[in-house]
Amino acid sequence: MLLIRLAVRNAFRHRLRSVLTILGVAVAILAFGLLRTLVDAWYSGVEASAADRLVTRNAISLTFSLPLAYREKIRAVPGVTEVSQGNWFGGIYVDEKNFFANFAYDIPSLLAIYPELAVPDKEQLTALLRDRKGALVGDKLAKRFGWKVGDPVTLRGTIFTGDWDFTIRAIYKATRAGVDESQFFFHWTYLDETLRSTMPTRAGYVGFYLVGIDDPTRSADISRAVDAQFANSLAETLTETEKAFQMGFVSMSSAIILAIRLVSFVVVLIILAVSANTMAMSARERSGEYAVLKTLGFSSSTLALLIAGEALALSVTGACLGLALVLPCAEAVGAFMTDFFPVFLVSEQTIIMGLVAGVAVGLLSAVYPALYAARVGIAQALRKVG
């Protein structure tokens, strides 16, 4: 206990230097936390994936469609519990800068496969299912544009050209953290029926199928069974788990993600160098003090522990301050970047890694000063005084 009190008092003996060191560590840990959260945001779709969901798409590319007739054939595969067809719509609301994900889905089967998309108001759900032009939007998206149930919304199609009119019929909320609440869904039948009158050659085709299965451990067998049905056809399929499907999108940005990860660790290395320099300066200035302590009977190992305690007191204080700032700063950054990262949450792993980084900086920065204090002789240290 005496050593701890002595270490804490020594750590804050030079207040200006201590405060600046703590602020440096805090800023570094804050930057580390935000960069790690940015990487996590990239993987939010992967983390939200469920093991009992598969995605079936055209084996050539996601840009190639599949016949609607595949739906019942997929549903007939043993182990498949539900199938929902969908298309990425790519519509624009008023201006290109108002980006949000919008899909045409078979809404009833979508909600069956994704129970985490909950519509609390049953009347809204009933109205949505009755209205062919009805739209289901996330709570976050509705708040972003001030939409309410009953409001008309027009999207300008890019893949399916023209103006598409919808009415907000229901607002969903996520039942667990990490699920995107900024998506826009509407009935796939509305898209298909409109195409039949305006672009008949594009009607009756699906962008992809969402497949619910009864046993996640059989996902590989069920995927092979689905694809085997359409082997050697004009539109062969590729079925994979939802997680693998989402990872395919993340891998397109792998170079950027790797760069962000490297920068986050470089930030920690920089503050490690700054903290180590601070501790080294402090050790050199206090050579005479170490000589006196050794004269009084303090062992070299005790002095090393004392110095390590001082370094830990500074680095852990800075790390805690930085982590305390991560949550409000992440919320502000998430609100600013909501168009690109609808899910921007600080994970428990990021908090733990920040604390570990703070402790590591404290311990590593104390290595050289501790060795110096342990090895320096009493006479040699006293000669440097003055």
Side-chain angles (χ1 to χ4, degrees):
M1 183 60 72
L2 176 63
L3 277 180
I4 295 175
R5 291 175 58 189
L6 193 58
V8 173
R9 288 191 176 185
N10 283 337
F12 294 95
R13 179 186 293 180
H14 196 304
R15 292 185 178 179
L16 179 59
R17 181 190 295 170
S18 300
V19 169
L20 291 177
T21 303
I22 289 172
L23 286 178
V25 174
V27 171
I29 295 298
L30 173 62
F32 176 79
L34 291 177
L35 290 172
R36 294 294 309 179
T37 303
L38 182 59
V39 172
D40 291 342
W42 238 295
Y43 284 90
S44 61
V46 178
E47 295 301 321
S49 302
D52 61 350
R53 292 196 289 253
L54 306 177
V55 179
T56 298
R57 63 178 176 86
N58 193 299
I60 299 175
S61 168
L62 192 59
T63 58
F64 290 82
S65 55
L66 296 170
L68 178 61
Y70 280 15
R71 172 172 175 156
E72 294 308 316
K73 293 181 179 179
I74 296 173
R75 189 196 292 274
V77 173
V80 173
T81 58
E82 188 60 84
V83 180
S84 182
Q85 72 272 24
N87 279 81
W88 166 256
F89 185 66
I92 296 172
Y93 177 62
V94 182
D95 192 272
E96 282 83 355
K97 66 180 181 182
N98 297 325
F99 175 81
F100 54 84
N102 43 87
F103 298 90
Y105 268 116
D106 177 57
I107 298 291
S109 55
L110 171 71
L111 296 179
I113 296 175
Y114 283 83
E116 60 265 42
L117 305 179
V119 182
D121 192 324
K122 299 304 177 188
E123 292 184 1
Q124 290 184 15
L125 181 59
T126 302
L128 170 68
L129 298 179
R130 285 178 178 172
D131 187 356
R132 192 171 61 92
K133 292 187 177 181
L136 170 66
V137 302
D139 185 58
K140 187 175 179 180
L141 183 64
K143 289 177 180 175
R144 177 183 170 191
F145 294 111
W147 290 340
K148 300 182 295 296
V149 173
D151 285 354
V153 172
T154 299
L155 298 184
R156 175 161 49 88
T158 54
I159 301 173
F160 306 97
T161 55
D163 289 337
W164 296 71
D165 297 322
F166 304 95
T167 303
I168 305 297
R169 291 300 181 194
I171 296 175
Y172 75 85
K173 292 186 177 180
T175 57
R176 60 183 172 88
V179 176
D180 188 3
E181 288 187 338
S182 61
Q183 299 179 87
F184 184 104
F185 303 112
F186 63 93
H187 293 286
W188 186 85
T189 50
Y190 174 40
L191 172 67
D192 189 59
E193 290 172 8
T194 304
L195 290 178
R196 287 185 187 281
S197 60
T198 58
M199 293 175 278
T201 56
R202 301 185 66 180
Y205 286 92
V206 175
F208 51 87
Y209 290 100
L210 298 176
V211 182
I213 59 176
D214 58 359
D215 185 359
T217 61
R218 295 186 58 241
S219 59
D221 294 335
I222 296 173
S223 298
R224 282 193 291 269
V226 171
D227 293 339
Q229 288 200 92
F230 311 110
N232 300 317
S233 68
L234 292 177
E236 294 188 345
T237 60
L238 172 62
T239 302
E240 54 194 346
T241 62
E242 185 188 21
K243 189 171 188 177
F245 180 74
Q246 295 288 353
M247 279 299 295
F249 290 99
V250 175
S251 63
M252 296 177 188
S253 308
S254 58
I256 298 174
I257 295 173
L258 177 62
I260 294 173
R261 279 183 170 151
L262 289 176
V263 170
S264 69
F265 288 110
V266 167
V267 168
V268 174
L269 290 177
I270 290 173
I271 197 58
L272 170 62
V274 173
S275 180
N277 181 59
T278 300
M279 292 306 300
M281 289 173 58
S282 177
R284 285 196 298 270
E285 291 172 356
R286 291 156 57 191
S287 298
E289 181 181 324
Y290 296 145
V292 172
L293 290 174
K294 284 188 173 182
T295 304
L296 293 175
F298 281 75
S299 65
S300 297
S301 59
T302 303
L303 286 180
L305 286 175
L306 189 62
I307 293 172
E310 293 175 25
L312 277 175
L314 294 176
S315 63
V316 171
T317 302
C320 291
L321 178 61
L323 290 174
L325 294 173
V326 164
L327 292 176
C329 289
E331 187 174 349
V333 173
F336 179 73
M337 302 182 69
T338 188
D339 292 357
F340 307 100
F341 300 105
V343 178
F344 199 85
L345 299 174
V346 180
S347 68
E348 184 178 339
Q349 184 183 20
T350 296
I351 298 295
I352 293 174
M353 290 180 70
L355 278 175
V356 171
V359 173
V361 166
L363 292 176
L364 292 175
S365 63
V367 171
Y368 172 75
L371 290 174
Y372 171 80
R375 292 175 178 174
V376 67
I378 296 175
Q380 180 188 356
L382 289 175
R383 275 200 297 271
K384 292 185 179 180
V385 176

